[in-house]
Amino acid sequence: MRTVSRSIRLMLAAVVGLAMCLSFSASPAAAATAAWDLADEEQRLCVPAERPHRYFVLGAVAGSWDAPLVSELQGLPEGAAVSSSTRSVPPGDNGDDYVYIIGFFVVLPGLEYGEHRATLHVTDGTVSQTRPIVFDAGDGWSC
């Protein structure tokens, strides 16, 4: 039971830390071609190297969209798996507020020391936007 509650505490700490570290700014190129915008951010998730972990990868969207927003993670480290996700978001409108409406629960294998890059890809079928994700494997939980 202790390992389960510790795992849950670690996941919650990672999610809270990610939410506190993210900053948003509109992407001028995307704003000119779409009524919606994926938050312009690099998500950096810090993990102890060579130990498996579970993480939430999140995407915030502002604006409006008439077609479903379909998302996927590309280029995950070898051995990583997505165990659950919000891959499709129905048409909607967040106005100018960035709202976390995209989420992936990722299971990472023990990663070698260093940066491991992936990409969050979102499309409405006409316009596509991507944002980088970095899994930074080191000696502890901080980058």
Side-chain angles (χ1 to χ4, degrees):
M1 187 66 174
R2 182 172 180 230
T3 59
V4 172
S5 68
R6 181 175 182 219
S7 296
I8 291 171
R9 284 194 318 262
L10 291 174
M11 285 188 319
L12 289 174
V15 170
V16 169
L18 175 63
M20 291 174 62
C21 292
L22 297 177
S23 62
F24 307 111
S25 63
S27 171
T33 59
W36 60 275
D37 183 51
L38 180 62
D40 188 12
E41 63 190 10
E42 173 188 88
Q43 291 186 44
R44 180 171 293 271
L45 305 167
C46 304
V47 299
E50 301 173 351
R51 291 180 34 204
H53 295 283
R54 295 180 182 98
Y55 275 95
F56 291 105
V57 174
L58 304 170
V61 176
S64 63
W65 54 99
D66 295 329
L69 296 178
V70 179
S71 59
E72 68 176 327
L73 294 177
Q74 299 172 338
L76 286 171
E78 186 174 333
V82 175
S83 66
S84 65
S85 65
T86 304
R87 293 179 193 241
S88 182
V89 178
D93 187 340
N94 293 342
D96 293 334
D97 296 327
Y98 284 92
V99 177
Y100 287 103
I101 57 174
I102 297 167
F104 291 88
F105 189 65
V106 178
V107 179
L108 295 173
L111 298 175
E112 294 180 11
Y113 281 83
E115 292 185 353
H116 304 268
R117 296 188 172 275
T119 303
L120 172 61
H121 179 266
V122 181
T123 184
D124 63 7
T126 303
V127 174
S128 295
Q129 296 182 34
T130 60
R131 296 299 179 259
I133 301 163
V134 179
F135 300 102
D136 192 348
D139 287 326
W141 291 99
S142 61
C143 296

